[in-house]
Every structure is written in structure tokens, then in C-alpha cells.
């Protein structure tokens, strides 16, 4: 994955986005509108608003999103088959309430053409408010100062607040402000241009979302008074309902006229005044969104009124103070400090802030791949949440983690239905979904990723180990563990090995690497399934010992036979984990080494990501990875592998991993650090850290890469901090980068929060709240107290030469069948690659 390691140390345009350790600042308007709209999005996990300008134009992708608010549509397969996904789900844009248009002398403020003497836009991660300050010289030569702000509330998840303050610096002029709510889902611009036809899907890039060409939001009611407007809708096919409402408060030292009206797809309040030099006009806008799967819009109107009434009674400043307090608590629990690394510090805090914006108030909905910052991946929930995001929540904000996991318990009935549809016992979670139905139309790289069951079980087990929340496990978690384990026991089968031992096999699945599909004994799947099986058996036995009545209820509810526990233990103990003894590596799947090796070093940069330039069948014939697979298993279940195995596996799979997935770099960073490839670890970390701020995958305009942001935290804490957890026990084996003087971060373990401080000579721990806890450092047990304790470090781990990562291992070696291992780039039919030539032409074996 050497191309990812060529990312500059700081790939961000600092002339436009200067370094500020606590803020993201834009010093001048950008031409890359979509990117900036994502970077400056404001959200709380339920409600998200893209960072479009208050004036509504110019914008690349308008979008206001509610987590889980979606439309459904039939998936039409050219050649269908039983069990294929039938119902697509797409998160839709709700009416846009962020628009506050300004007219001076009847001329609109448009950033793309405005004469701006001053401009700055910023969001401070400690207050969660998007600000913009500018001075506009109008075509008539008048100077106007315009200040705007936008807040999506963490404390009241249905609420957003906006302001616009206009001050005449030079000259007098008539001013008009038009504050609007616009249904952009069905009317794509501000002038009533609608849509017609059928659903449009960007099939050139499966990461993008579906556009609907028929009406989606069906108006139910519009209403207004002198200060308030309300619009109600029902989604055409899914039947979900929505209410959006807005209040306005206006203050000025000039006489003001206000007009308000609503129509089915537009609410508008117009404020007019004549401002003299030195006078001002301020508009404060409070907005509420309420949605439901079935509740009539009239009930949602009432809920919206109550939300707006609270703001009217408490005032704006009270909401701002609540926001600051909420984020102060978040940062106390979550802030990772990198003294002396200002660019990395800013980017790290931006990533952590995105995790808050994606998860804080998701409130038992899932966490979409893009959060609520954009429409990428249709707003779907994937396995990424459990592996990359939930660990951050578990170790910093356990209540948020519990909410994220409760989403999976709520989906369990649908998962049982899906398992039956695929002729399995237990439950099978969908690979991508919003409402619980499988939405992946391409089963090979979607539905076949059965490992999602084990990923969910891993997150449940880790949460219980780290938090000690046995009540959650006994009431909800054990049911998920049992049903996922049942699926594995039913899916796999037994075979005899050549030496006569019984081996448990899982065939016809796809691991995290979507470039190697529908295979036998995918290593990641088998390792994680083994853990799932063992934890399910353990959870049931623990319940039996601790709560006889609860255990009896579980047995009745799930028709559980105690013999199943023995079966799960046997399946786990007999799990097939394939290994090639000659290379000393674990096989990603049984026949992985039979494939030709893709020559990534000779693949032109414009051919990445491979999925957009090569047919899947071409990719599937090669040893080439979209993202970490075996290497991810080494991280998640590290205690099951030796240091030598980890090193051999990493050095084999790293050179053939494209990094086409934003999920890969952070995992590569963690394992590179552990095995000793320290420079590669830092290179990969930066590739993950700046994936959005530097737009490294060229699709940040579709929304934030939330799982990658979670991976940044994992890379810092598990990679450089060297933290590992096994059965709830924490250990540390640090790998501080050479140029970093210090790394510091908080960890919450079983209700106690302590801060870890790593410098080159030592690692120290200081208890900040809760009872004393125990950890270990390179085998030495340590008790963390409020007085603090430090452990000297002889070094920062092994340091290996990264040259071995430059080319695939084994090139030129002879396989068992006599053929030579070579690497190629599949060529254009008109320009095929040349047949490989060995040093001695007589050594070439036909078919090599």
C-alpha cells in the first residue's frame, strides 16, 4: 500500500484552512464547495446540516438529514434469484431550513461574485457553532458587515439555531432578509424546479447515493402564524412522517416590517428595514425537526411546537451555554493531546468532533457510514460502526456505546428473518441497511459478508468487558450473542484433516476485503466467528450462574438447549485457520495463494480505486486487497497470534493492499506500529487522519468518513499508545513516533476515568474519577491512583526497515506446482501486459 504512504505530512491547503488546534477555519471562500460543505457540516447524530452558505447559493450538494429518515424502493435485478435483496433504502434530504437570504438595495449576497473585503468562517470544536464573518462592498459601493451562525443542538436533538446580523458600515440602504424552509428533496433549486420520472442511481460509483426522480415527500399540511411556520410530510413509499417548524425573533434599531407565508413546499418569513450607517438588523431563527415511522404529522406538529416554545421561553443564550457544557464534558472524556504537533492535533480533534456529531444523539438509531453529514452510501449502517466507532464510544462515552448497541438488539427480529431466508438458524444481520432489511443488491461483496454477525458480537462483548455493564448483557446482549452463534454453528461443517483431526469449516463467505469474495475459510471471518461462539457460550453460562430466573426465561424465549453450548465450544475449538508453512503466513482464504499477484507498484494512480476501473471478475482473480482483512483480525484478536505470525502476515499482505477503502490505513498503522514498521505506521496514520481534511479519496463531498475518524482514535490509542484489551484487562506496549514528544489521552474503564501520558522515557497514568483500576505495561502490573504512577520505558518497541514492504513477498519463488510467483497489472484488451519472463526462460512453467 505504498501509494498511501506517499501522502504528504500535511496534505491540507493551509492558505485556505490554516492550522488552529481547536478550530477549523476557512480564510476565504472555496471553489471546492462540496468538500467545504462536508467539513463544515453541523450535526448531533440525529439531525445534520451540510455547511452550505446561509444564502443557499452557491452550493454543490444541499442537504439536511435525519438519521434513519428514508425512502424505500424496489430493487430491480436484471436476473433475480431467491434471497436477493428486494427493497432498497435511501436516506432522503428533509426540507432545508438553513436558508437566510440577504438583499441590500435589492441585490443578493452571493459569495461566488461578491466583493468581499474580509471573510472568515470557522467552527470551534468546544462550542459546536458554525460562524461566518464577512464585510461586503455592494455593487453600489456600500459596506455591509454580515455575521451568521448555525448550531445543531446536542442537548435537544430536534433543535437547530441560526442567526444573521447585518450592520451598515458605510451608506444607507433598504435591507431584506428572506428566511426560508425549502423542500429540496423534490425541488432541486430555490426557484421551484421539480423532478419527475423514476429513481436515478449513480451506478458508476456504488459509494454514491440514489437520486429519486419521482415525488418523495408528500405534503400533508402547512401552517403559519406571525412568528412561526410548520410544514408536514409523509414519505411516499416508506410511510415515514415528518414535521419541520421555525420561529423567528427580530431585533433592530430601525423600523422593521415582517411578512410570513407557507405553501406545501416552502415556508418563508421576510424581514424588511431601511438601515442607516451604523444601524443593524438581527434575525434569530430556531428550527425543529421531528420524524416517525408511523405517527401522524399532526402529533409531530405538537412535538415541534413544544420544542420551539422551550427556546422562546429560555432564549438563545441558554441553548449556547448548554452546548458548551455538553462539549466540555465530551472533551474531558475524549480529548487526545499531541503537544508539538499542531496540524495533527487539529485534524485529530476534527475527527473526534465528527464522531460526536455522528453518534452523540443517534439515540438507538444506527450510526450511518457518513453520519448525517452527507448522502453517501445511501445513509446506510454497516459493520464499520461496531469495529471502528463503538470502541471509541466504549472507552470514552459508554452511554453512547450502549445506545449504538441497542440499535442492533432492535434489529434482531429482522436479522432472524434474514437468517431463515438464507436457510440458517439464529440471526444474520444485513450487511447494509437502514430499516433492518438487507439493501445490498450485489451479494458477493455484500450479503456474503457474514462476518458482520461476529463484528456485532465483538462490540457487545467488548462493551461489557470494558464497562462492566452486566445488566445490559443479561437483558439484551446475551440474546444477540446466542442468535449470532447459532448462525455460525449452522453455517459451518466438519471435515477431517490429513492427520485425522476434526476441523470446522465455513465456506462461501466474503471477509472485509471486498476484492476477494465468496471464498472458503476466510481467516477474518473464522477468527471472529470463533470469538463469537466462545463468548456466546460464556454469556449463557454466566447468566445461568448469576440469575436462574433470567436463564430460565432465556431458554424458553429462544428454545435454547444446553447442548448448544457444548456445540459452540466444539466449533470454536475446531475452527479452521489456514496457514502456509513455507511463507509462515495465515491464508486470507484457502486458495488465496493460487491467484496471481497484482502489481500495485506498476498500476497507474488514475486506475485507483480498482473497483471503478476493473470488472469485479478481473479483480477477483488476483491477490489484491481493497482493505485490511487478515491484518484486521491480528488487531482485533491479537492475543491469539504470536509476534512472529503478526510480522509475517503484515509483511505479506501490506504490499498487496490497495487502500481503496478509507478503513484500511488506520488498521495498517496499528499493526505496522506493533510489529515495528514505525515509519510506515506514521505514514498510514496520516493517510487516515487527513482522509477528509485532505480529501485523499476524492469523495469527501459525499460526507464524512465516520469509521475512518473512529479509526484515527484507534490508531492513536492502540497503535502509538500501544493499548490492548483482552477479556476486559488493559495492557500497554507503546510505540510513540520518533518526532512526537508526547501523547496523552483519557480512558474510561468500568466507570473509572484515567489519563494516560506517554513520553519517550516513560508512560504514566493518573486517575481522574472513580475507583482505582489495574493495568499492565509490558507485563508489569500497575495500579492507577489519583496520585499518579509512572513506568519507565527502555524503548518504543522494535524498529524495522520498511524496504520489505515495497514489493510482494515471494516474487520469483517457485510454487509447489513448479510455477513461478509473478505480479502483473491486468491490461487493456488492445494493450495486454507482457508474459512474465524469469531470469532463465527455461524456468517458466506454462500457466505461471
Amino acid at each position: 500500500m505504498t501509494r498511501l504512504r506517499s501522502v504528504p505530512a500535511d496534505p491540507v491547503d493551509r492558505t485556505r484552512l490554516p492550522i488552529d488546534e481547536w478550530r477549523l477555519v476557512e480564510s476565504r471562500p472555496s471553489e471546492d464547495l462540496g468538500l467545504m460543505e462536508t467539513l463544515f457540516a453541523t450535526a448531533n447524530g440525529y439531525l445534520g446540516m451540510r455547511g452550505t452558505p446561509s444564502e443557499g447559493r452557491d452550493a454543490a450538494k444541499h442537504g439536511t438529514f435525519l438519521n434513519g429518515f428514508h425512502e424505500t424502493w424496489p430493487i430491480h435485478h436484471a436476473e433475480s434469484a431467491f434471497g436477493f435483496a428486494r427493497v432498497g433504502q435511501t436516506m432522503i434530504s428533509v426540507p432545508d431550513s438553513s436558508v437566510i437570504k440577504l438583499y441590500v438595495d435589492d441585490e443578493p449576497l452571493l459569495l461566488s461574485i461578491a466583493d468581499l473585503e474580509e471573510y472568515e468562517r470557522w467552527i470551534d470544536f468546544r462550542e459546536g457553532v458554525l460562524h461566518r464573518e464577512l464585510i461586503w462592498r455592494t455593487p453600489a459601493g456600500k459596506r455591509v458587515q454580515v455575521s451568521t451562525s448555525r448550531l445543531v443542538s446536542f442537548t435537544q436533538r430536534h433543535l437547530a439555531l441560526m442567526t444573521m446580523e447585518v450592520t451598515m458600515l458605510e451608506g444607507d440602504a433598504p435591507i431584506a432578509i428572506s428566511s426560508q424552509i425549502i423542500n429540496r428533496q423534490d425541488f432541486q433549486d430555490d426557484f421551484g424546479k421539480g423532478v419527475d420520472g423514476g429513481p436515478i442511481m449513480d451506478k458508476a460509483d456504488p459509494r454514491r447515493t440514489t437520486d429519486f426522480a419521482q415525488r418523495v415527500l408528500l405534503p400533508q399540511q402547512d401552517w403559519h402564524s406571525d412568528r412561526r411556520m410548520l410544514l408536514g410530510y409523509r414519505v411516499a413509499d416508506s410511510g415515514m412522517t415528518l414535521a419541520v417548524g421555525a420561529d423567528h425573533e427580530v431585533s433592530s434599531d430601525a423600523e422593521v416590517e415582517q411578512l410570513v407565508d407557507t405553501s406545501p413546499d416552502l415556508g418563508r418569513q421576510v424581514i424588511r428595514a431601511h438601515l442607516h450607517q451604523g444601524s443593524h438588523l438581527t434575525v434569530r431563527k430556531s428550527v425543529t425537526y421531528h420524524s416517525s415511522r408511523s405517527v401522524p404529522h399532526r402529533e409531530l406538529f405538537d412535538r415541534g411546537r413544544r420544542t420551539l416554545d422551550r427556546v422562546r421561553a429560555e432564549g438563545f443564550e441558554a441553548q449556547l451555554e448548554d452546548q458548551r457544557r455538553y462539549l466540555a464534558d465530551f472533551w474531558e472524556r475524549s480529548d487526545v493531546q499531541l503537544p508539538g504537533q499542531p496540524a495533527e492535533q487539529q485534524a485529530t480533534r476534527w475527527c473526534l468532533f465528527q464522531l460526536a456529531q455522528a453518534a452523540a444523539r443517534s439515540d438507538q438509531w444506527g450510526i450511518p457510514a457518513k453520519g448525517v453529514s452527507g448522502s453517501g452510501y445511501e445513509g446506510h449502517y454497516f459493520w464499520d460502526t461496531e469495529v471502528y466507532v463503538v470502541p471509541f464510544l466504549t472507552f470514552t462515552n459508554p452511554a453512547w456505546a450502549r445506545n449504538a448497541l441497542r440499535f442492533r438488539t432492535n434489529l434482531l427480529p429482522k436479522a432472524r428473518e434474514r437468517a431463515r431466508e438464507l436457510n440458517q438458524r439464529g440471526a444474520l444481520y444485513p450487511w447494509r441497511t437502514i430499516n433492518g432489511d438487507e439493501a445490498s443488491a450485489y451479494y458477493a461483496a455484500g450479503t456474503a459478508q457474514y462476518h458482520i454477525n461476529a463484528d456485532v458480537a465483538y462490540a457487545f462483548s467488548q462493551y461489557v468487558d470494558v464497562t462492566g455493564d452486566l445488566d445490559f448483557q443479561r437483558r439484551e446482549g446475551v440474546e444477540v450473542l446466542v442468535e449470532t452463534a447459532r448462525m455460525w454453528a449452522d453455517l459451518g461443517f466438519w471435515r477431517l484433516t490429513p492427520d485425522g483431526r476434526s476441523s470446522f469449516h465455513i465456506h462461501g463467505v466474503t471477509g472485509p476485503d471486498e476484492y476477494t469474495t465468496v471464498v472458503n475459510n476466510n481467516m477474518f471471518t473464522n477468527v471472529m466467528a470463533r470469538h463469537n461462539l466462545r463468548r456466546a457460550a460464556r454469556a449463557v453460562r454466566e447468566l445461568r450462574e448469576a440469575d436462574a430466573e433470567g436463564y430460565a426465561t432465556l431458554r424458553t424465549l429462544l428454545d435454547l438447549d444446553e447442548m448448544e453450548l457444548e456445540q459452540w465450544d466444539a466449533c470454536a475449538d475446531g475452527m479452521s485457520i489456514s496457514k502456509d508453512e513455507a511463507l509462515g503466513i495465515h491464508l486470507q482464504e484457502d486458495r488465496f495463494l493460487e491467484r496471481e499477484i497484482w502489481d500495485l507498484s506498476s498500476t497507474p494512480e488514475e486506475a485507483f480505486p480498482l473497483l471503478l476501473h476493473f470488472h469485479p471478475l478481473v479483480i477477483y482473480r488476483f491477490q489484491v486487497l481493497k482493505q485490511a482483512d487478515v491484518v484486521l483480525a491480528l488487531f482485533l484478536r491479537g492475543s491469539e497470534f504470536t509476534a512472529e505470525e503478526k510480522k509475517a502476515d503484515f509483511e505479506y499482505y501490506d504490499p498487496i493492499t490497495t487502500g481503496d477503502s478509507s478503513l484500511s490505513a488506520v488498521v495498517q498503522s496499528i499493526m505496522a506500529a506493533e510489529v515495528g514498521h514505525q515509519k510506515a505506521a506514521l505514514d498510514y496514520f496520516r493517510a487516515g487522519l487527513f482522509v477528509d481534511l485532505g480529501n485523499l479519496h476524492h469523495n469527501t463531498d459525499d460526507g464524512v468518513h465516520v469509521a475512518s475518524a473512529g479509526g484515527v482514535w484507534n490508531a492513536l490509542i492502540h497503535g502509538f499508545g500501544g493499548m490492548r484489551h483482552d477479556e476486559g484487562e488493559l495492557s500497554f506496549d507503546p510505540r510513540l513516533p520518533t518526532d512526537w514528544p508526547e501523547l496523552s489521552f483519557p480512558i474510561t474503564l468500568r466507570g473509572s476515568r484515567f489519563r494516560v501520558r506517554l513520553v519517550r522515557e516513560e508512560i504514566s497514568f493518573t486517575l481522574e474519577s472513580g475507583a482505582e483500576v489495574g493495568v499492565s505495561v509490558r507485563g508489569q502490573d500497575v495500579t492507577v491512583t489519583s496520585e499518579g504512577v509512572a513506568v519507565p520505558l527502555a524503548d518504543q518497541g522494535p524498529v524495522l526497515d520498511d524496504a520489505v514492504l515495497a514489493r510482494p513477498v515471494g516474487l520469483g519463488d517457485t510454487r509447489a506446482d513448479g510455477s513461478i510467483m509473478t505480479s502483473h497489472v491486468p491490461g487493456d484488451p488492445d494493450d495486454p501486459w507482457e508474459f512474465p519472463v524469469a531470469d532463465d526462460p527455461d524456468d517458466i512453467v506454462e500457466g505461471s
Side-chain angles (χ1 to χ4, degrees):
M1 205 164 61
T2 52
R3 71 187 189 93
L4 284 189
R5 290 171 49 207
S6 64
V7 172
D10 183 359
V12 180
D13 178 2
R14 293 305 181 181
T15 66
R16 191 180 305 277
L17 298 175
I19 294 175
D20 185 313
E21 293 189 0
W22 276 108
R23 301 189 306 158
L24 182 67
V25 181
E26 183 186 41
S27 60
R28 65 181 190 277
S30 174
E31 296 178 358
D32 197 343
L33 299 176
L35 173 62
M36 294 300 123
E37 289 160 13
T38 293
L39 299 185
F40 285 96
T42 49
N44 63 14
Y46 168 71
L47 167 62
M49 296 179 165
R50 286 179 61 77
T52 49
S54 298
E55 301 75 35
R57 294 188 293 157
D58 289 325
K61 296 181 179 181
H62 289 284
T64 300
F65 303 102
L66 302 182
N67 191 349
F69 192 76
H70 67 281
E71 176 62 308
T72 55
W73 42 275
I75 298 176
H76 298 292
H77 299 275
E79 296 182 18
S80 190
F82 180 81
F84 277 19
R86 297 182 298 274
V87 180
Q89 305 133 50
T90 299
M91 182 172 68
I92 57 179
S93 183
V94 297
D96 179 6
S97 63
S98 68
V99 178
I100 307 177
K101 298 183 178 183
L102 172 64
Y103 301 84
V104 178
D105 286 327
D106 295 328
E107 296 290 338
L109 171 60
L110 291 176
L111 296 186
S112 59
I113 60 174
D115 182 0
L116 300 179
E117 296 183 0
E118 297 180 13
Y119 175 93
E120 186 172 85
R121 179 168 62 154
W122 73 95
I123 187 164
D124 190 316
F125 312 136
R126 295 164 294 189
E127 66 171 5
V129 181
L130 177 62
H131 295 275
R132 190 191 66 187
E133 298 273 0
L134 61 85
I135 295 178
W136 172 33
R137 181 177 291 276
T138 73
K142 299 167 185 178
R143 297 176 68 244
V144 185
Q145 179 175 298
V146 184
S147 303
T148 63
S149 70
R150 183 182 303 161
L151 172 153
V152 174
S153 174
F154 284 107
T155 58
Q156 299 194 53
R157 73 175 190 142
H158 299 282
L159 177 66
L161 304 177
M162 287 149 260
T163 66
M164 176 177 281
E165 182 176 1
V166 180
T167 304
M168 291 299 300
L169 300 180
E170 289 184 15
D172 304 340
I175 303 293
I177 293 177
S178 179
S179 175
Q180 301 180 0
I181 301 175
I182 306 170
N183 174 14
R184 296 191 188 277
Q185 177 64 49
D186 297 301
F187 294 88
Q188 295 179 349
D189 60 31
D190 297 1
F191 307 103
K193 179 181 177 183
V195 293
D196 50 30
I200 302 171
M201 303 184 69
D202 183 358
K203 287 303 184 184
D205 188 344
R207 300 168 297 183
R208 296 189 183 274
T209 196
T210 300
D211 289 329
F212 292 93
Q214 78 273 2
R215 180 105 197 187
V216 174
L217 291 174
L218 305 180
Q220 303 297 292
Q221 185 180 356
D222 62 273
W223 174 93
H224 66 272
S225 65
D226 291 343
R227 289 183 57 177
R228 181 171 292 176
M229 61 182 79
L230 292 165
L231 304 178
Y233 298 90
R234 180 176 61 82
V235 183
D237 194 63
S238 74
M240 297 192 75
T241 52
L242 168 73
V244 54
D247 266 4
H248 293 82
E249 177 188 329
V250 180
S251 62
S252 178
D253 49 10
E255 184 177 351
V256 174
E257 177 186 15
Q258 298 188 55
L259 305 170
V260 60
D261 68 89
T262 57
S263 61
D265 294 297
L266 177 67
R268 178 174 57 182
Q269 181 145 345
V270 178
I271 300 101
R272 299 194 296 211
H274 192 96
L275 296 189
H276 298 286
Q277 184 168 315
S279 59
H280 74 276
L281 172 63
T282 301
V283 176
R284 294 181 177 87
K285 180 179 185 179
S286 52
V287 177
T288 184
Y289 290 87
H290 287 265
S291 60
S292 173
R293 295 180 179 90
S294 58
V295 169
H297 78 278
R298 295 181 299 277
E299 162 68 16
L300 300 182
F301 270 20
D302 290 340
R303 297 180 190 178
R305 289 187 176 103
R306 291 194 291 270
T307 302
L308 296 174
D309 287 346
R310 281 196 300 274
V311 177
R312 187 179 293 184
E314 298 170 1
F316 266 49
E317 187 54 43
Q319 315 307 320
L320 294 171
E321 182 58 31
D322 285 348
Q323 185 92 333
R324 285 190 286 268
R325 281 197 298 266
Y326 190 96
L327 285 170
D329 179 71
F330 168 74
W331 288 114
E332 187 175 43
R333 292 175 172 276
S334 311
D335 188 28
V336 179
Q337 297 173 6
L338 306 173
Q341 305 295 317
E344 287 85 351
Q345 182 69 83
Q346 179 195 40
T348 295
R349 285 183 173 138
W350 183 87
C351 288
L352 298 182
F353 184 64
Q354 299 313 309
L355 293 172
Q357 293 203 131
R361 297 310 306 273
S362 59
D363 288 11
Q364 301 180 28
W365 279 98
I367 300 172
K370 300 292 186 180
V372 280
S373 67
S375 61
Y377 290 111
E378 315 263 2
H380 288 170
Y381 316 123
F382 293 80
W383 64 278
D384 314 358
T385 298
E386 281 73 24
V387 171
Y388 292 87
V389 179
V390 171
F392 162 74
L393 304 180
T394 296
F395 280 106
T396 61
N397 296 271
W400 299 3
R402 182 178 174 128
N403 270 342
L405 296 176
R406 287 215 74 242
F407 167 71
R408 290 299 185 184
T409 66
N410 293 335
L411 284 192
L412 191 55
K414 286 275 192 179
R416 289 185 177 114
E417 291 178 14
R418 184 59 172 163
R420 286 194 294 272
E421 190 172 32
L422 271 66
N423 304 99
Q424 305 295 160
R425 294 189 68 218
L428 176 59
Y429 281 98
W431 180 66
R432 61 186 298 173
T433 191
I434 295 177
N435 64 9
D437 293 327
E438 177 62 78
S440 174
Y442 185 55
Y443 75 89
T447 296
Q449 293 199 44
Y450 282 52
H451 66 84
I452 187 172
N453 263 26
D455 305 331
V456 170
Y458 173 84
F460 271 79
S461 301
Q462 182 192 64
Y463 169 80
V464 171
D465 287 346
V466 172
T467 66
D469 189 354
L470 296 176
D471 173 71
F472 177 72
Q473 171 161 295
R474 291 166 185 169
R475 288 196 299 108
E476 301 188 41
V478 66
E479 195 172 341
V480 171
L481 293 174
V482 166
E483 294 289 50
T484 51
R486 279 176 162 169
M487 191 281 297
W488 294 119
D490 187 50
L491 177 66
F493 57 92
W494 293 93
R495 289 287 185 271
L496 285 177
T497 63
D499 60 3
R501 292 181 298 107
S502 295
S503 180
F504 190 74
H505 294 243
I506 298 174
H507 285 189
V509 298
T510 298
D513 171 32
E514 296 162 25
Y515 287 173
T516 311
T517 66
V518 194
V519 297
N520 297 342
N521 293 319
N522 168 252
M523 188 265 207
F524 178 88
T525 301
N526 287 19
V527 166
M528 296 300 288
R530 178 169 65 187
H531 179 253
N532 188 168
L533 290 158
R534 287 174 173 161
R535 289 306 297 252
R538 170 179 155 182
V540 173
R541 290 183 178 117
E542 289 176 348
L543 179 63
R544 183 176 61 194
E545 294 299 318
D547 182 0
E549 183 178 347
Y551 174 65
T553 299
L554 180 74
R555 288 193 63 187
T556 301
L557 179 66
L558 301 185
D559 192 22
L560 178 65
D561 188 327
E562 288 197 1
M563 291 299 296
E564 290 187 73
L565 279 61
E566 306 302 324
Q567 180 191 25
W568 301 340
D569 286 336
C571 293
D573 293 342
M575 188 67 68
S576 174
I577 308 294
S578 300
K579 191 171 183 180
D580 182 85
E581 297 301 335
L583 292 171
I585 65 167
H586 292 96
L587 300 184
Q588 183 167 313
E589 51 89 13
D590 283 351
R591 305 185 66 177
F592 189 79
L593 294 183
E594 296 179 14
R595 293 174 166 85
E596 293 297 298
I597 299 173
W598 192 299
D599 186 356
L600 292 180
S601 63
S602 299
T603 304
E605 183 63 28
E606 59 270 19
F608 295 98
L610 302 186
L611 68 110
L612 299 185
H613 300 92
F614 296 89
H615 191 283
L617 288 177
V618 175
I619 298 173
Y620 297 164
R621 295 183 184 116
F622 284 80
Q623 291 185 45
V624 63
L625 280 63
K626 183 182 180 186
Q627 64 202 74
D629 194 298
V630 169
V631 171
L632 180 56
L634 300 179
F635 166 50
L636 296 182
R637 300 301 307 148
S639 63
E640 299 177 13
F641 304 96
T642 67
E644 292 75 16
E645 287 175 328
K646 293 175 183 178
K647 177 178 178 294
D649 285 344
F650 181 82
E651 291 181 347
Y652 187 87
Y653 288 102
D654 182 82
I656 56 175
T657 302
T658 63
D660 283 348
S661 168
S662 63
L663 301 179
S664 200
V666 289
V667 177
Q668 298 296 99
S669 175
I670 293 168
M671 291 311 301
E674 179 175 345
V675 303
H677 288 289
Q678 306 283 12
K679 183 179 183 303
L682 188 58
D683 290 343
Y684 289 139
F685 170 70
R686 287 173 174 151
L689 179 66
F690 293 108
V691 70
D692 284 320
L693 287 176
N695 196 18
L696 300 184
H697 286 249
H698 311 294
N699 64 348
T700 298
D701 57 335
D702 292 331
V704 173
H705 292 83
V706 172
S708 181
V712 167
W713 181 88
N714 280 280
L716 286 164
I717 277 61
H718 296 298
F720 302 138
M723 188 179 84
R724 293 293 185 273
H725 57 90
D726 191 36
E727 307 294 330
E729 300 299 319
L730 292 191
S731 62
F732 292 84
D733 185 7
R735 301 287 192 271
L736 187 68
T738 302
D739 296 335
W740 289 15
E742 182 180 334
L743 169 65
S744 174
F745 53 89
I747 290 294
T748 298
L749 177 65
R750 292 186 289 278
S752 297
R753 186 179 72 246
F754 60 92
R755 179 161 285 276
V756 182
R757 179 175 178 266
L758 172 63
V759 295
R760 301 210 68 77
E761 299 80 17
E762 67 178 29
I763 184 170
S764 61
F765 308 89
T766 304
L767 185 67
E768 296 180 338
S769 65
E772 295 180 355
V773 295
V775 300
S776 66
V777 178
R778 295 179 178 170
Q780 177 182 342
D781 291 335
V782 176
T783 300
V784 180
T785 68
S786 57
E787 290 78 18
V789 59
V791 179
L793 298 173
D795 54 45
Q796 292 295 324
V799 179
L800 302 177
D801 187 351
D802 289 349
V804 69
L805 306 178
R807 66 193 299 268
V809 173
L811 284 183
D813 291 352
T814 303
R815 296 187 180 92
D817 64 1
S819 60
I820 298 174
M821 292 180 65
T822 58
S823 63
H824 318 295
V825 179
D828 186 278
D830 298 325
D831 185 24
W833 47 266
E834 295 182 357
F835 192 82
V837 178
D839 292 339
D840 182 352
D842 294 333
D843 288 340
I844 292 185
V845 176
E846 185 175 359
S848 66

